[in-house]
């Protein structure tokens, strides 16, 4: 882990281009218009046409946005609000879960958190 942290500390800081910001606006707009109750797989299918990526990349974007609280998960706190200990992370009672907390709880209709947008992406606010 130390090796990874050192590499991260030495990495060049990337500045998003106007195209990057436009792409993020499109992704968030898609989140906003997802039908009530739709699941993460449906969102990632919609995102497929919005930016060049594979399924793992789209999944990583969704996981990151949910963890940060940008795309809130139905009635579950994000790590932006509070740290939830691993043994306190309630997971849905379904046969198969292939997403972490809180992404496993994400459903369409929750929109995006304006406060998280202001905090993390002030350019988009």
């Amino acid at each position: 882990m130390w090796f990874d942290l050192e590499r991260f500390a030495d990495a060049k800081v990337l500045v998003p281009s106007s195209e990057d910001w436009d792409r993020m606006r499109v992704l968030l707009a898609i989140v906003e218009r997802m039908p009530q109750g739709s699941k993460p797989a449906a969102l990632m299918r919609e995102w497929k046409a919005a930016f060049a990526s594979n399924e793992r990349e789209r999944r990583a974007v969704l996981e990151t946005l949910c963890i940060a609280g940008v795309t809130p998960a139905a009635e579950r706190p994000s790590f932006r609000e509070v740290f939830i200990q691993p043994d306190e992370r309630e997971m849905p009672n379904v046969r198969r879960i292939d997403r972490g907390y809180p992404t496993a709880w994400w459903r369409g209709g929750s929109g995006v958190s304006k406060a998280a947008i202001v905090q993390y992406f002030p350019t988009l606010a």
Side-chain angles (χ1 to χ4, degrees), residues 59-113:
R59 179 185 301 245
V61 170
L62 180 57
E63 291 272 355
T64 301
L65 292 175
C66 281
I67 288 169
V70 174
T71 53
E75 301 177 19
R76 297 297 185 282
S78 72
F79 292 105
R80 179 178 169 270
E81 300 164 33
V82 62
F83 181 77
I84 299 97
Q85 295 292 336
D87 61 338
E88 295 173 5
R89 297 175 192 168
E90 183 183 355
M91 296 300 281
N93 188 16
V94 294
R95 191 179 68 182
R96 186 185 124 174
I97 297 176
D98 60 351
R99 289 170 177 78
Y101 180 92
T103 311
W105 290 102
W106 183 89
R107 296 295 180 267
S110 298
V112 298
S113 166

Side-chain angles (χ1 to χ4, degrees), residues 30-31 34-35 37-48 55 58-59 62-63 66 71-73 92 97-100 102-108:
I30 292 170
V31 171
M34 289 300 294
S38 55
K39 295 184 179 179
L43 174 60
M44 289 192 299
R45 280 192 299 274
E46 293 294 318
W47 277 359
K48 188 175 185 177
E55 183 179 349
R58 291 186 297 277
R59 179 185 301 245
L62 180 57
E63 291 272 355
C66 281
T71 53
I97 297 176
D98 60 351
R99 289 170 177 78
T103 311
W105 290 102
W106 183 89
R107 296 295 180 267

